């Protein structure tokens, strides 16, 4: 689990240079053959005021930088606003459902990119267990 640094969360902008070091750390983990989860530590933000829209755009900028520096094939995204910001940042306009994992949790292929697949889930409930099974989904 890679928690977004406090400095990134608290920054007043979502500029790429603010996220570069963290994104490089996450990319290095993926290149080393590990999975990577980028998350916001809820204990950190419970006592501070954070603009949720800006936070979604910061997450999108981080994900874009990670994808730009890795050979990532599978991306799991939680939360509607976060998903929208990430899809917009990656210029993804069309998705094709390939598998219903659980109600509201859908594995999809990206139109025009047969190397990247997405699994999207609303933020209101936990990830279902099948998501964490290794090699459970493949881009086809």
């Amino acid at each position: 689990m890679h928690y977004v640094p406090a400095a990134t969360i608290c920054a007043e902008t979502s500029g790429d240079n603010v996220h570069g070091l963290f994104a490089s750390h996450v990319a290095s983990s993926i290149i080393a053959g590990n999975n990577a989860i980028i998350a916001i530590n809820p204990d950190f933000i419970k006592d501070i005021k954070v603009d949720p829209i800006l936070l979604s755009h910061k997450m999108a900028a981080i994900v874009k930088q990670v994808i730009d520096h890795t050979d990532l094939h599978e991306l799991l995204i939680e939360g509607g606003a976060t998903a929208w910001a990430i899809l917009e940042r990656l210029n993804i306009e069309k998705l094709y459902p390939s598998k219903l994992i659980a109600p509201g949790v859908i594995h999809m292929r990206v139109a025009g990119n047969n190397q990247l697949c997405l699994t999207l889930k609303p933020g209101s409930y936990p990830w279902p267990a099948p998501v964490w099974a290794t090699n459970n989904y493949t881009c086809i």
Side-chain angles (χ1 to χ4, degrees):
M1 176 91 57
H2 302 277
Y3 284 120
V4 177
T8 298
I9 292 171
C10 294
E12 294 184 17
T13 68
S14 64
D16 290 344
N17 57 341
V18 175
H19 318 303
L21 185 59
F22 177 67
S24 294
H25 172 73
V26 174
S28 294
S29 180
I30 292 170
I31 291 167
N34 301 310
N35 291 327
I37 298 173
I38 301 171
I40 296 169
N41 187 337
D43 292 333
F44 177 75
I45 62 169
K46 70 179 179 180
D47 295 327
I48 62 172
K49 184 177 179 181
V50 177
D51 177 355
I53 301 297
L54 181 58
L55 198 51
S56 293
H57 288 283
K58 289 177 183 182
M59 290 292 281
I62 292 166
V63 169
K64 171 80 167 107
Q65 288 182 348
V66 169
I67 286 177
D68 285 348
H69 293 94
T70 63
D71 190 23
L72 192 66
H73 298 289
E74 189 72 34
L75 183 60
L76 285 71
I77 308 172
E78 178 177 28
T82 302
W84 176 255
I86 291 170
L87 294 175
E88 184 178 56
R89 185 67 176 237
L90 298 177
N91 295 315
I92 295 173
E93 297 179 355
K94 193 171 193 178
L95 299 165
Y96 298 106
S98 60
K99 183 173 185 175
L100 177 65
I101 299 167
V105 182
I106 303 169
H107 184 259
M108 292 179 267
R109 294 178 296 113
V110 176
N113 182 347
N114 57 359
Q115 297 297 311
L116 180 64
C117 288
L118 304 175
T119 299
L120 303 177
K121 179 193 85 64
S124 57
Y125 51 90
W127 285 97
V131 169
W132 305 117
T134 57
N135 299 321
N136 206 21
Y137 311 107
T138 309
C139 280
I140 49 176

